[in-house]
Amino acid sequence: MAIGINITSEQRKTALQTALRILDKWRCNDTEKNILLGINCDCQDLEISEPTLERISYILGIHKALRQIFTSDETVYGWIRKPNSHPALANGSAMDYMLLGNASSISTVAKLIKGYSGQ
């Protein structure tokens, strides 16, 4: 997925900072952040690769869709860890499914939530 062709280094850093704030609100620890972003290091001074940028775009999309579905911050940020009976999530939480570690699991959650929001 070539999503970052025309994205400057500064824009990549801003996207990463935004994603990290969202991950903090999702109560992710450092290990979970690394899994979700597809990295294995401290996020400071990180060179943001295309695969990481793809994951960031899914995280931002998930957050946007949750904002469209729910009105309370508690629900917007809490839904991601709540048990879910949807078969696409293997009957676990969206976070459990995304922590499988591949971009396709994050993409699946993004598509599911976008479907709920009508995007």
Side-chain angles (χ1 to χ4, degrees), residues 18-105:
T18 302
L20 289 170
R21 282 193 300 274
I22 292 167
L23 295 176
D24 283 339
K25 290 185 177 193
W26 288 351
R27 299 182 333 267
C28 293
N29 61 37
D30 289 342
T31 300
E32 291 171 332
K33 289 175 187 175
N34 286 344
I35 291 169
L36 293 171
L37 294 171
I39 59 175
N40 191 18
C41 64
D42 182 5
C43 291
Q44 303 302 319
D45 301 319
L46 173 69
E47 184 64 33
I48 303 164
S49 67
E50 287 297 313
T52 298
L53 191 59
E54 177 182 5
R55 290 165 178 263
I56 289 169
S57 73
Y58 292 138
I59 291 166
L60 298 177
I62 290 167
H63 176 71
K64 178 182 176 184
L66 288 170
R67 280 263 175 227
Q68 290 176 334
I69 296 167
F70 303 114
T71 56
S72 85
D73 282 352
E74 183 179 332
T75 308
V76 168
Y77 297 113
W79 182 90
I80 208 82
R81 290 194 179 267
K82 290 190 188 250
N84 193 306
S85 62
H86 195 285
L89 301 179
N91 295 315
S93 72
M95 181 60 72
D96 292 338
Y97 192 75
M98 291 190 303
L99 287 173
L100 293 175
N102 52 55
S104 66
S105 62

